[in-house]
Amino acid sequence: MSFTEQSPAHTLAYVQDEQHGISVPVTSISLEDSAPGRANPPLQVYRTAGPGSDPVRGLPPLRESWIAERADCESYQGRSRELLDDGRSAQRRGAASAEWQGPQRTPLRSQPGRTVTQMHYARNGVVTAEMRFVALRENCSVELVRSELAAGRAIIPSNINHPESEPMIIGKAFLVKINANIGNSAITSSIADEVDKLQWATLWGADTVMDLSTGDDIHTTREWIIRNAPVPIGTVPIYQALEKVNGEAHKLTWEIFRDTVIEQCEQGVDYMTIHAGVLLRYVPLTANRVTGIVSRGGAIMAGWCLAHHQENFLYTHFDELCEIFAQYDVAFSLGDGLRPGSTADANDAAQFAELDTLAELTKRAWRYDVQVMVEGPGHVPFHLVRENIERQQELCDGAPFYTLGPLVTDIAPGYDHITSAIGATEIARYGTAMLCYVTPKEHLGLPNKDDVKTGVITYKIAAHAADLAKGHPGARDRDDALSKARFEFRWRDQFSLSLDPATAEAFHDETLPAEPAKTAHFCSMCGPKFCSMRISQDIRDSYGTATEQEEIAGGMAAKSAEFLASGAKVYLPDLVVPQPS
Amino acid sequence: MSFTEQSPAHTLAYVQDEQHGISVPVTSISLEDSAPGRANPPLQVYRTAGPGSDPVRGLPPLRESWIAERADCESYQGRSRELLDDGRSAQRRGAASAEWQGPQRTPLRSQPGRTVTQMHYARNGVVTAEMRFVALRENCSVELVRSELAAGRAIIPSNINHPESEPMIIGKAFLVKINANIGNSAITSSIADEVDKLQWATLWGADTVMDLSTGDDIHTTREWIIRNAPVPIGTVPIYQALEKVNGEAHKLTWEIFRDTVIEQCEQGVDYMTIHAGVLLRYVPLTANRVTGIVSRGGAIMAGWCLAHHQENFLYTHFDELCEIFAQYDVAFSLGDGLRPGSTADANDAAQFAELDTLAELTKRAWRYDVQVMVEGPGHVPFHLVRENIERQQELCDGAPFYTLGPLVTDIAPGYDHITSAIGATEIARYGTAMLCYVTPKEHLGLPNKDDVKTGVITYKIAAHAADLAKGHPGARDRDDALSKARFEFRWRDQFSLSLDPATAEAFHDETLPAEPAKTAHFCSMCGPKFCSMRISQDIRDSYGTATEQEEIAGGMAAKSAEFLASGAKVYLPDLVVPQPS
């Protein structure tokens, strides 16, 4: 099994748009026959793992020719790299700890007077390769993609300096997406660990990854991550900017921040969280909260505002940010710095005041054709979740909502992937476009690799449950395939169709480890004699012998009518479940 | 730490009704001071673990005197114990494998012409000690308890032969309850393991436990469980009846089933799942389902109906069952034998046909003053969950609904505690009274002790989230206490207020193991410099010095007004976060 596949039954395959020369990778899951002569076609599912990469060389630049063909960019001598970009310990050492040695590309930006955002193209009726890729990936029309982008109701995060990324779309008309956070901190972890977590997160289904590093080697870690990322990468640039001023929030300036943003634009960051909605006048609204401000970026900006008695520089310089983002096609992720950190603080004045400002900023960014999504909470009791998405959609004219959970109770540290998946399903059902995962370590520590996997799979569950609830076309195919496999005791197919094949198989084997049990027509819950699935199959057999589900459905209707017409009389001599020999 | 406490900060305490001599056990969680002179009172939380018992001796009979004082029961020579009660291997050996040696009580039943159910008392205006106990436990009025019982909208499962149980109430006006399933199967496990799982499940918060044993020593295992159970015990008697006929469903008879029910009534089972709604004419409705019949009991009864071409004997003898249950105060749990086993089959004709019959049976049981709850699904996509509870409540005149999840997707075997907790929160929010847990092993194998704990805690989350969403009085106290501890960096209190203190502490210690980190004013997510909570506290400090949250709230409103009136001008010289030495 390669590192890019979850199971030996999974292979990389492609869906082709031959006319436009576009190939979208999918994971093909091979299935066993239901019975001799009754084959099950492979199921193709959405794939985030990419083709796989050697970490030291990175991924091939899939989008490079698409970007070049548009002929609206220029390469230029980028901002010069500074040691401080990698933090204070790199300064002491005189170098980052593991310099990127793979392909070095000269940064691109838009030619003067041109705008290179997917929103800009969409609004001008231009269909890009990225849009075609996404339409094929989502199994929808290209026009749906273009029109949703043009209206601001969806984004394709796609920095022209991250040509390795496979385009994906975030918007409520499309499949619900999930983000995984990785990144080192002052306390722990190395560059290799973070690249490993990136690949691990996308293997299990992360649609985007945010690098939230706040420790050493921030610049270099990010370089390694982006060069190996088949998914869009997001960051919170204020974290790095703060490192550059020795962690002292009041020393931050617009100039330092702007320089950090350009540094990250040139590296290829696809979207950036910008806490421009934390206005000076909103800060006192948090003072009598149970948990104050829990967003790191929000707290930094609140601290800065208070220290300087000035309005948030991200707000006052927002138009300049739009101009920069438009040059690279970086998307805004408008940060909710005042999100509630406890259920007691949910949907309060501070939170909703900031949302009003985020709505204003959304429309300002759109004037520059810059793509925007809006971040949301947080900790919200279940009955207050829906209001969050409905208010955001109304105020922000349908701009994609991107939420952290929300967690529906505060009392389960260690299980906050679960408390938050409950809220995430509810909020996604009503239109949230992307869910930021929460791991079991939330509130307690930094996620390790197991935590990343648990977080990603838990959020795949929430996103998929919302897709089903929204009636998204094709979403139920995998459920139906797995349920059919379950009913037919195709154990191996149950495993390979599941979100975590190895875990499903390991759990099965704990009780029934022998290989024959993989083909047994019973399971450990009931044992061989006492199997409800087996009895159901007998019932089905007694009502019809059609071999295909569709034929059974048709045939059974007739059979049932006949049965009822005959006075509901049946006779079966023996329903004992045969024991496997 | 004793086996009955989750944490050294937890102790057994009692809430007293001195007038009536009733003591309700609670878990008291001691808390550290917020600051010198600012103590936090202990938080008392609902407790299911009981006082603790030595497995070989069982629990003291808390309710024995209450039952005796009502003077409406008689003790009698019960049904004689038969070796077949313990299955075929006990027959071969000539004995069960670990006979119960603890207290042996002569069974009780109602005196001729008397009815001993809590519903009967409630309808006749009698307030029992059980009702007082429950009112104290739920922090509500005794009259609410009595009136909900009388209306059939709540039940107190309380077989007079299970005097060890601490009364608890299941109904939508009360806290949402959870059930944990334990029990051996033909494949694995021993009596000691099952008693251990019982104590483990109630330690973590199971409100009732179902013994679903289908393997050897069924009778004896159940005896050990009931004698050690501080919570009501439920069973599915058809499982044992089937063992008595060598696992051959068509050999079942009403007489064998009736005898098994009486055997279990005399042992003290508090509620029994009865699949009386699986009618002959409904069976064909399942034939073209994706997953047929997945309920074991449902499949047995469907098989029996077809084999004999007769109506389900549980339905035709239902009135006799009511007469038996009324003699012991056993509650019906009307089984949903036709529940959907895949999201594709949710809310279909078979499921809702059976629900119509369960509604009819509910009202028949009420004529005998027998307590009833109704079981529900299963696998249901998120948007179809609400219809289940609303339809059940309407058809069954508010009888408590008791659901298994439901699971909102089929694609995550190994994680079905999560897929189902999502559906469980939704269905409980709209009035489901009890949630049957699902463990990570669902569909794959038998839960071990870790799985039982994970299942229970996941369901505590779902139930509690629903209590919060329903605005249940006092439900948020624990959330607020934990959030306040989190904001004040009282790490130990965060751990002890959580649903799983040891896991929360272990996760914290993975990143910051040193003891001083337990009192550090930062955590591993941000590191010492970069702490949003710390910055928030600085903000709060800058807006007021009141020491109590209430005072802060009041004081801050004034401060905020003053701040805004002054032109929203503040000046803080330095917001740098101090590093702990």
Side-chain angles (χ1 to χ4, degrees):
Chain A
M1 176 178 5
S2 106
F3 187 68
T4 58
E5 306 306 328
Q6 300 170 2
S7 153
H10 292 196
T11 51
L12 171 60
Y14 290 92
V15 178
Q16 307 279 349
D17 173 353
E18 290 178 12
Q19 189 191 344
H20 300 95
I22 287 171
S23 295
V24 173
V26 293
T27 297
S28 180
I29 304 176
S30 65
L31 301 175
E32 298 180 350
D33 296 348
S34 287
R38 288 174 55 204
N40 291 293
L43 186 76
Q44 293 190 330
V45 300
Y46 195 101
R47 177 188 179 87
T48 54
S53 64
D54 175 351
V56 300
R57 311 180 67 172
L59 282 161
L62 169 71
R63 298 196 300 126
E64 192 169 53
S65 62
W66 306 347
I67 294 163
E69 281 161 18
R70 289 194 285 260
D72 50 7
C73 294
E74 60 181 20
S75 67
Y76 70 109
Q77 180 61 43
R79 169 188 175 282
S80 63
R81 162 78 185 291
E82 292 166 27
L83 260 178
L84 186 56
D85 298 348
D86 273 314
R88 285 158 274 160
S89 61
Q91 267 192 317
R92 279 195 301 276
R93 282 194 307 267
S97 60
E99 291 286 352
W100 173 250
Q101 304 290 345
Q104 312 278 344
R105 289 186 202 90
T106 317
L108 296 177
R109 66 180 174 205
S110 60
Q111 293 167 7
R114 306 295 294 267
T115 299
V116 297
T117 70
Q118 296 291 323
M119 185 181 214
H120 180 75
Y121 303 133
R123 284 178 161 182
N124 287 281
V126 174
V127 173
T128 62
E130 284 86 346
M131 295 176 205
R132 291 192 196 282
F133 188 100
V134 157
L136 210 54
R137 201 170 192 185
E138 297 271 344
N139 194 23
C140 70
S141 75
V142 174
E143 176 52 22
L144 179 68
V145 171
R146 192 206 59 77
S147 61
E148 290 294 293
L149 286 172
R153 288 191 296 265
I155 66 172
I156 300 179
S158 46
N159 187 326
I160 53 176
N161 291 313
H162 183 201
E164 299 91 344
S165 73
E166 296 169 348
M168 54 77 70
I169 193 161
I170 302 168
K172 70 178 168 186
F174 307 98
L175 290 164
V176 176
K177 303 304 186 296
I178 66 168
N179 171 70
N181 291 335
I182 61 172
N184 65 17
S185 84
I187 308 286
T188 66
S189 81
S190 75
I191 293 176
D193 286 348
E194 297 311 316
V195 174
D196 194 34
K197 279 186 199 164
L198 162 77
Q199 295 183 324
W200 188 239
T202 56
L203 172 65
W204 295 109
D207 293 289
T208 77
V209 167
M210 291 191 80
D211 173 14
L212 302 186
S213 292
T214 60
D216 289 336
D217 302 318
I218 294 186
H219 180 99
T220 303
T221 302
R222 192 166 51 235
E223 188 71 28
W224 282 73
I225 287 173
I226 294 171
R227 300 286 75 83
N228 283 287
V231 300
I233 296 297
T235 61
V236 186
I238 199 81
Y239 295 173
Q240 185 181 13
L242 191 72
E243 286 298 300
K244 294 180 181 176
V245 294
N246 197 32
E248 298 173 66
H250 69 286
K251 292 192 180 160
L252 282 167
T253 65
W254 161 246
E255 289 70 26
I256 290 168
F257 184 80
R258 179 182 182 281
D259 182 61
T260 304
V261 164
I262 290 173
E263 171 190 348
Q264 299 196 9
C265 286
E266 292 177 351
Q267 283 188 296
V269 171
D270 299 287
Y271 65 88
M272 298 186 197
T273 297
I274 302 294
H275 296 95
V278 180
L279 300 191
L280 180 59
R281 66 180 180 274
Y282 300 157
V283 177
L285 298 177
T286 67
N288 53 8
R289 279 177 156 186
V290 171
T291 48
I293 299 176
V294 296
S295 151
R296 285 183 280 181
I300 300 301
M301 294 318 301
W304 187 91
C305 291
L306 292 179
H308 291 274
H309 174 216
Q310 286 177 8
E311 191 51 279
N312 181 335
F313 62 76
L314 300 172
Y315 180 82
T316 56
H317 291 271
F318 191 76
D319 291 274
E320 287 168 75
L321 273 177
C322 293
E323 287 165 5
I324 297 168
F325 281 15
Q327 291 183 287
Y328 302 92
D329 199 7
V330 171
F332 277 105
S333 187
L334 294 174
D336 58 333
L338 303 183
R339 69 169 173 270
S342 55
T343 49
D345 294 340
N347 296 20
D348 73 352
Q351 183 194 335
F352 284 152
E354 184 184 33
L355 182 57
D356 290 341
T357 298
L358 300 185
E360 171 206 327
L361 295 171
T362 297
K363 291 159 205 173
R364 267 164 75 182
W366 285 348
R367 275 188 238 131
Y368 295 85
D369 289 350
V370 171
Q371 305 191 94
V372 183
M373 58 184 170
V374 176
E375 296 186 9
H379 290 240
V380 183
F382 196 66
H383 64 299
L384 298 182
V385 170
R386 183 174 177 174
E387 182 184 2
N388 279 274
I389 170 67
E390 291 182 340
R391 183 186 275 246
Q392 183 274 340
Q393 286 292 290
E394 188 186 338
L395 293 173
C396 302
D397 290 356
F401 202 31
Y402 167 31
T403 60
L404 180 71
L407 290 70
V408 294
T409 170
D410 308 329
I411 66 171
Y415 298 80
D416 280 331
H417 57 308
I418 299 176
T419 64
S420 65
I422 293 168
T425 306
E426 171 83 349
I427 208 161
R429 172 189 178 187
Y430 292 111
T432 294
M434 187 157 77
L435 304 169
C436 183
Y437 86 171
V438 172
T439 78
K441 290 281 168 60
E442 183 76 14
H443 299 116
L444 297 169
L446 289 172
N448 62 24
K449 230 173 127 174
D450 280 346
D451 298 320
V452 168
K453 178 179 170 184
T454 301
V456 169
I457 289 176
T458 302
Y459 271 70
K460 290 300 282 183
I461 290 169
H464 182 72
D467 288 334
L468 289 179
K470 289 164 73 177
H472 197 88
R476 58 178 282 183
D477 293 351
R478 190 170 185 168
D479 295 78
D480 292 349
L482 192 145
S483 292
K484 183 166 179 261
R486 182 173 280 156
F487 189 67
E488 294 174 353
F489 289 99
R490 283 184 278 120
W491 284 100
R492 288 197 195 83
D493 290 350
Q494 274 194 68
F495 305 149
S496 55
L497 287 162
S498 75
L499 290 180
D500 185 355
T503 296
E505 184 164 355
F507 282 4
H508 171 269
D509 289 0
E510 269 184 44
T511 327
L512 286 175
E515 196 54 29
K518 305 270 174 37
T519 52
H521 276 198
F522 66 94
C523 58
S524 57
M525 279 80 76
C526 303
K529 275 227 149 168
F530 201 65
C531 173
S532 58
M533 289 281 199
R534 195 71 198 72
I535 291 174
S536 289
Q537 291 206 325
D538 291 342
I539 291 169
R540 179 179 291 183
D541 293 344
S542 76
Y543 283 97
T545 56
T547 52
E548 289 303 313
Q549 182 59 27
E550 298 69 29
E551 296 172 36
I552 288 173
M556 285 321 304
K559 272 276 178 193
S560 294
E562 186 187 306
F563 168 82
L564 292 168
S566 73
K569 294 185 183 178
V570 295
Y571 180 70
L572 294 173
D574 193 347
L575 265 174
V576 179
V577 182
Q579 296 218 34
S581 57
Chain B
M1 177 179 6
S2 107
F3 187 67
T4 57
E5 306 307 328
Q6 299 171 1
S7 155
H10 292 195
T11 50
L12 171 60
Y14 291 90
V15 177
Q16 308 279 350
D17 173 354
E18 289 178 12
Q19 188 190 346
H20 300 94
I22 289 171
S23 296
V24 173
V26 293
T27 297
S28 180
I29 304 176
S30 64
L31 301 175
E32 297 179 351
D33 295 349
S34 288
R38 288 174 54 204
N40 291 292
L43 186 76
Q44 294 190 328
V45 300
Y46 196 101
R47 177 188 179 88
T48 55
S53 63
D54 175 350
V56 302
R57 310 181 68 171
L59 283 161
L62 169 71
R63 299 196 298 127
E64 193 169 53
S65 62
W66 305 347
I67 294 163
E69 281 161 18
R70 288 194 285 260
D72 51 8
C73 295
E74 59 181 19
S75 67
Y76 70 108
Q77 178 62 43
R79 171 189 173 282
S80 63
R81 162 81 183 292
E82 292 167 27
L83 261 177
L84 186 56
D85 298 347
D86 273 314
R88 283 158 277 159
S89 61
Q91 266 192 318
R92 279 196 302 275
R93 284 195 306 268
S97 61
E99 292 286 353
W100 172 252
Q101 305 289 344
Q104 311 278 343
R105 288 185 204 91
T106 316
L108 295 177
R109 68 183 172 203
S110 62
Q111 293 168 7
R114 306 295 294 269
T115 299
V116 296
T117 70
Q118 295 291 322
M119 184 181 215
H120 180 76
Y121 302 133
R123 284 177 161 183
N124 288 280
V126 175
V127 172
T128 62
E130 284 86 346
M131 296 177 204
R132 293 192 194 284
F133 188 100
V134 157
L136 209 54
R137 202 170 191 185
E138 298 270 345
N139 194 22
C140 70
S141 75
V142 173
E143 177 51 21
L144 179 68
V145 172
R146 192 206 59 78
S147 61
E148 290 294 294
L149 286 173
R153 288 191 297 265
I155 66 172
I156 299 178
S158 45
N159 186 327
I160 52 175
N161 290 312
H162 184 200
E164 298 91 344
S165 75
E166 294 170 350
M168 53 78 71
I169 193 161
I170 302 168
K172 70 178 169 187
F174 306 96
L175 290 164
V176 176
K177 303 304 188 297
I178 66 168
N179 172 70
N181 291 335
I182 61 171
N184 66 17
S185 84
I187 309 284
T188 65
S189 82
S190 75
I191 293 175
D193 286 347
E194 297 311 315
V195 174
D196 194 33
K197 280 188 199 162
L198 161 78
Q199 295 183 324
W200 188 240
T202 55
L203 172 65
W204 295 109
D207 293 289
T208 76
V209 167
M210 289 191 80
D211 172 15
L212 302 186
S213 293
T214 61
D216 290 335
D217 303 318
I218 294 186
H219 179 99
T220 303
T221 302
R222 192 165 52 234
E223 187 72 29
W224 281 72
I225 287 174
I226 294 172
R227 299 287 75 83
N228 282 286
V231 299
I233 296 297
T235 61
V236 187
I238 199 82
Y239 296 174
Q240 185 181 12
L242 191 73
E243 286 297 299
K244 293 180 180 177
V245 295
N246 197 33
E248 299 173 67
H250 69 286
K251 291 190 181 163
L252 283 167
T253 63
W254 160 247
E255 288 70 26
I256 290 167
F257 183 80
R258 179 182 183 282
D259 181 61
T260 304
V261 164
I262 290 173
E263 172 190 346
Q264 299 195 10
C265 287
E266 292 178 352
Q267 281 189 298
V269 171
D270 298 287
Y271 65 88
M272 297 186 198
T273 296
I274 303 292
H275 295 95
V278 180
L279 300 191
L280 180 60
R281 66 180 181 274
Y282 300 156
V283 177
L285 299 176
T286 67
N288 52 10
R289 280 178 157 185
V290 171
T291 46
I293 298 175
V294 296
S295 150
R296 286 183 281 181
I300 300 302
M301 294 318 300
W304 188 92
C305 290
L306 293 178
H308 292 275
H309 169 218
Q310 286 178 9
E311 191 51 276
N312 181 337
F313 63 76
L314 299 172
Y315 181 81
T316 56
H317 290 273
F318 191 76
D319 291 273
E320 287 169 75
L321 273 176
C322 292
E323 287 166 4
I324 297 168
F325 282 15
Q327 289 183 290
Y328 301 92
D329 199 7
V330 171
F332 277 105
S333 187
L334 293 173
D336 58 333
L338 304 183
R339 69 170 174 265
S342 55
T343 50
D345 294 340
N347 296 19
D348 73 351
Q351 183 193 335
F352 283 152
E354 184 185 33
L355 182 57
D356 290 340
T357 299
L358 299 186
E360 170 205 327
L361 296 171
T362 297
K363 292 159 205 173
R364 268 164 74 183
W366 284 348
R367 274 189 239 131
Y368 294 85
D369 289 349
V370 171
Q371 305 190 95
V372 183
M373 58 184 170
V374 176
E375 295 186 11
H379 290 241
V380 183
F382 195 66
H383 64 299
L384 297 182
V385 170
R386 184 174 176 175
E387 181 183 2
N388 279 274
I389 169 68
E390 291 182 341
R391 183 186 276 247
Q392 183 274 339
Q393 286 292 292
E394 187 186 339
L395 292 173
C396 302
D397 291 354
F401 203 30
Y402 167 32
T403 62
L404 180 70
L407 289 70
V408 294
T409 169
D410 307 330
I411 67 170
Y415 298 80
D416 281 331
H417 58 307
I418 299 175
T419 65
S420 66
I422 294 168
T425 306
E426 170 83 350
I427 208 162
R429 172 189 177 187
Y430 293 111
T432 294
M434 186 157 78
L435 303 169
C436 182
Y437 86 171
V438 172
T439 78
K441 290 282 169 59
E442 183 77 14
H443 300 115
L444 297 169
L446 290 173
N448 61 26
K449 232 175 125 172
D450 280 346
D451 298 319
V452 167
K453 178 179 169 182
T454 301
V456 168
I457 289 175
T458 302
Y459 271 70
K460 289 302 283 184
I461 289 169
H464 182 72
D467 288 334
L468 289 178
K470 289 163 73 177
H472 196 88
R476 58 178 283 184
D477 294 350
R478 190 169 183 169
D479 294 78
D480 292 349
L482 192 146
S483 292
K484 183 165 181 260
R486 180 174 282 154
F487 188 66
E488 293 174 356
F489 289 99
R490 285 184 275 120
W491 285 101
R492 288 198 194 84
D493 290 349
Q494 274 195 67
F495 305 148
S496 55
L497 286 162
S498 75
L499 291 180
D500 185 355
T503 296
E505 183 163 358
F507 282 4
H508 171 271
D509 289 359
E510 270 184 43
T511 327
L512 285 175
E515 195 55 29
K518 305 269 174 35
T519 52
H521 274 199
F522 66 96
C523 59
S524 56
M525 279 79 77
C526 302
K529 274 228 151 173
F530 203 64
C531 174
S532 58
M533 289 282 200
R534 195 67 197 77
I535 291 175
S536 290
Q537 291 206 326
D538 290 343
I539 291 168
R540 178 179 292 182
D541 291 347
S542 77
Y543 284 98
T545 56
T547 51
E548 289 302 315
Q549 181 58 28
E550 296 69 30
E551 295 171 36
I552 289 174
M556 286 318 304
K559 273 273 175 196
S560 295
E562 186 185 306
F563 169 81
L564 292 168
S566 74
K569 294 185 184 178
V570 296
Y571 180 72
L572 293 173
D574 192 349
L575 265 173
V576 178
V577 181
Q579 296 217 39
S581 54

